[in-house]
Amino acid sequence: MFYKETFSLIAIAITLAAFIPYIREIFRGTIRPHIFSWVIWGVTTLLIFLAQLEDNGGAGTWPIGVSASITIFIAYLAYVKRADVTITRADWLFFIVALLSLPLWYWTADPLWAVILLTAIDVAGFGPTVRKAYQFPYSESLLFFGLFMLRNVLVMLALENLTLTTLLFPAVMLILCILMMAMIAYRRRVLLA
């Protein structure tokens, strides 16, 4: 299935196209990633990648693996740069709940339940970033979320085994990217008014 590998390689290129400017803007101080979100996303994305591999997701899993590696690097940058130092009680709540939930995926012994739990944890990881982006909508990149929206469509097209285990994570991330873009764009318009 040559087209699956092609979609996957394009998705990897889009992943890099999204992450490289994002990382560059972190170094410039324009983008301030929330460390809690990026730690949660890095761990869950890596574990989802492994669960998708176990369910024979094939080429469609490659961009998820690349994304996991880079996401862990961004979590490291968020820590080193102390990018977002405003951590609220709600942020701590999201972070602690997500971390405490992580071991649950292991006991499921089923890739589907692992992906369901990890995707839910990943969604919880959006909490601190949503709060921060709502307050400071210019602290996140619309382009980044737009590219990841497209990337997730390509990931779904590249999957070799279409099951809930392989499709759930990219489908939920696609929806969350759309919602993040809408919220950021709305907040930017409100602040300009």
Side-chain angles (χ1 to χ4, degrees):
M1 292 195 211
F2 176 71
Y3 72 94
K4 300 271 186 191
E5 288 87 1
T6 302
F7 284 144
S8 185
L9 292 174
I10 294 169
I12 289 171
I14 291 171
T15 300
L16 295 173
F19 273 129
I20 290 170
Y22 195 86
I23 291 168
R24 184 175 50 241
E25 294 305 313
I26 291 170
F27 281 108
R28 288 184 181 156
T30 308
I31 298 292
R32 297 181 315 269
H34 197 294
I35 187 168
F36 287 1
S37 292
W38 287 93
V39 167
I40 293 166
W41 294 336
V43 171
T44 56
T45 304
L46 177 62
L47 295 173
I48 286 169
F49 166 67
L50 296 173
Q52 288 177 328
L53 281 178
E54 187 176 324
D55 197 40
N56 302 313
T61 64
W62 303 344
I64 304 299
V66 169
S67 191
S69 302
I70 300 171
T71 300
I72 291 168
F73 176 67
I74 290 175
Y76 168 76
L77 287 179
Y79 174 75
V80 169
K81 296 280 203 186
R82 303 293 195 274
D84 183 16
V85 294
T86 57
I87 297 175
T88 67
R89 281 185 232 186
D91 294 344
W92 276 106
L93 178 66
F94 279 114
F95 188 63
I96 290 168
V97 166
L99 289 182
L100 291 176
S101 303
L102 277 173
L104 295 176
W105 79 271
Y106 178 76
W107 291 306
T108 65
D110 178 359
L112 173 59
W113 282 106
V115 168
I116 290 170
L117 287 169
L118 292 167
T119 300
I121 294 166
D122 209 69
V123 169
F126 269 84
T129 294
V130 167
R131 181 206 48 86
K132 178 186 66 82
Y134 186 85
Q135 276 186 302
F136 309 105
Y138 290 97
S139 71
E140 286 297 338
S141 168
L142 280 172
L143 177 63
F144 178 79
F145 289 105
L147 288 171
F148 265 86
M149 181 183 68
L150 176 59
R151 191 282 307 257
N152 285 309
V153 169
L154 291 168
V155 164
M156 290 186 285
L157 292 172
L159 288 168
E160 294 175 21
N161 186 23
L162 298 176
T163 65
L164 191 53
T165 301
T166 60
L167 284 170
L168 181 66
F169 179 72
V172 169
M173 292 306 109
L174 169 70
I175 292 165
L176 287 174
C177 285
I178 292 169
L179 293 174
M180 282 295 295
M181 289 173 55
M183 187 266 299
I184 292 168
Y186 169 76
R187 290 295 298 155
R188 287 180 180 182
R189 273 196 308 272
V190 167
L191 289 179
L192 288 176

